[in-house]
Amino acid sequence: MGKNSNQHAPVSSPNEIEWEMRPGGMLIQKRHDDVGGFASREPIINITVSHGPSRHEVHVPADSTFGDLKNALAQKTGLDPKDQRLLFRGKEKEDEEHLHMAGVKDRSKILLLEDPASKERKLEEIGKNNEIGKASGAVAEVRAEVDQLSERVAALEVAVHGGTKVADKEFLILTELLMKQLLKLDSIEAEGEAKLQRKSEVRRVQNLVETLDNLKARNSNPNSNSSNAVSVTTKWETFDSGVGSLTAPPPSSSTKITQDWEQFD
């Protein structure tokens, strides 16, 4: 009997060459990776990218786009892809252009420039951060002085509540020193975190001044209790910058005394 008629039927070989069409109409041999049999990208090429005084060696697949190259460079330079400009043979390349279509080969050299707008943004950010740091430092200096004044206010509070008679000038001197710190805070131009720090310190100084007002009133009337003691109202104005300023009320309206046998309307 003759041989099986299927003996010469074409059989697919695992080593059979497969072809694929690449961008630009180029027909090349399809490559397979070691896992799963999926087609891999083009062979890896080495590109030298000049960025100012620096040189970067970048390894990318040959069929990568200039956008892919920017992403790879972002990891090496820290420069965001959108802030990069890539020039090859004197011409700037668009992100969607393929390297091999532009003529980029292994060991080709490409120039990387930073977008001017990006440089301006960075300079503005650096300047802003410097201003914030400077403002924070100024607020910290005021805070240190207020810390010392706060200790003196606390000492007066202990003395007054303990029944010790304190000279009125002690309250006036401390109030004046605190007001000077408030004026310093008002002169500080601050943004962001520094502005919040300044606002917090302004509120702290205002509270200390009001505490002194209440202590002074109690010191003048040591026998009065909290229900009918001297009531001191501190009025605050606001500067254009939002920092509070103390305006001392006239003597006739700053103190209201209520006796048990008489009640004002």
Side-chain angles (χ1 to χ4, degrees), residues 46-262:
N46 180 29
I47 301 174
T48 301
V49 180
S50 299
H51 180 210
S54 303
R55 297 289 184 274
H56 302 286
E57 297 294 328
V58 184
H59 301 274
V60 294
D63 65 341
S64 298
T65 64
F66 282 90
D68 296 330
L69 181 57
K70 286 183 178 181
N71 290 329
L73 286 169
Q75 300 177 13
K76 290 179 173 290
T77 64
L79 193 61
D80 194 280
K82 69 177 183 296
D83 296 329
Q84 299 179 30
R85 296 175 58 196
L86 294 179
L87 281 75
F88 180 62
R89 295 175 179 172
K91 296 182 178 180
E92 183 172 357
K93 297 300 179 180
E94 300 296 331
D95 290 355
E96 63 272 12
E97 291 187 65
H98 286 80
L99 299 178
H100 72 277
M101 294 296 295
V104 178
K105 302 176 182 179
D106 189 46
R107 300 183 182 280
S108 289
K109 296 181 179 180
I110 293 178
L111 179 63
L112 168 62
L113 299 178
E114 182 176 357
D115 186 75
S118 171
K119 289 185 177 181
E120 292 181 6
R121 288 195 300 270
K122 286 185 177 180
L123 289 175
E124 290 177 359
E125 186 176 351
I126 291 174
K128 185 176 181 180
N129 290 337
N130 288 339
E131 289 298 324
I132 292 177
K134 182 179 178 181
S136 294
V139 173
E141 291 180 3
V142 173
R143 185 184 300 114
E145 296 185 39
V146 174
D147 285 342
Q148 297 179 3
L149 295 176
S150 178
E151 293 177 0
R152 294 175 61 178
V153 172
L156 280 180
E157 191 169 14
V158 171
V160 171
H161 285 291
T164 302
K165 183 70 175 179
V166 180
D168 286 348
K169 68 177 183 179
E170 295 294 332
F171 300 101
L172 296 175
I173 291 174
L174 269 180
T175 298
E176 182 179 352
L177 291 174
L178 286 168
M179 291 304 302
K180 287 182 178 180
Q181 301 309 314
L182 199 61
L183 291 174
K184 286 183 181 180
L185 290 169
D186 179 61
S187 67
I188 299 174
E189 295 184 2
E191 295 294 337
E193 181 64 26
K195 187 175 183 179
L196 295 177
Q197 294 174 3
R198 185 187 66 176
K199 183 178 180 180
S200 175
E201 203 60 30
V202 166
R203 188 179 299 112
R204 180 188 179 203
V205 172
Q206 291 175 342
N207 289 338
L208 287 172
V209 171
E210 291 174 359
T211 297
L212 283 172
D213 285 344
N214 292 329
L215 289 174
K216 181 180 178 182
R218 178 162 184 162
N219 183 67
S220 301
N221 299 271
N223 296 324
S224 299
N225 57 42
S226 59
S227 63
N228 59 11
V230 177
S231 173
V232 180
T233 302
T234 303
K235 295 182 179 179
W236 298 94
E237 292 180 349
T238 302
F239 292 118
D240 293 337
S241 60
V243 178
S245 170
L246 176 64
T247 300
S252 61
S253 61
S254 62
T255 304
K256 296 180 181 178
I257 303 177
T258 304
Q259 301 291 346
D260 292 337
W261 47 269
E262 181 179 1

Side-chain angles (χ1 to χ4, degrees), residues 3-11:
K3 295 183 179 179
N4 192 317
S5 60
N6 293 329
Q7 181 175 350
H8 298 290
V11 178

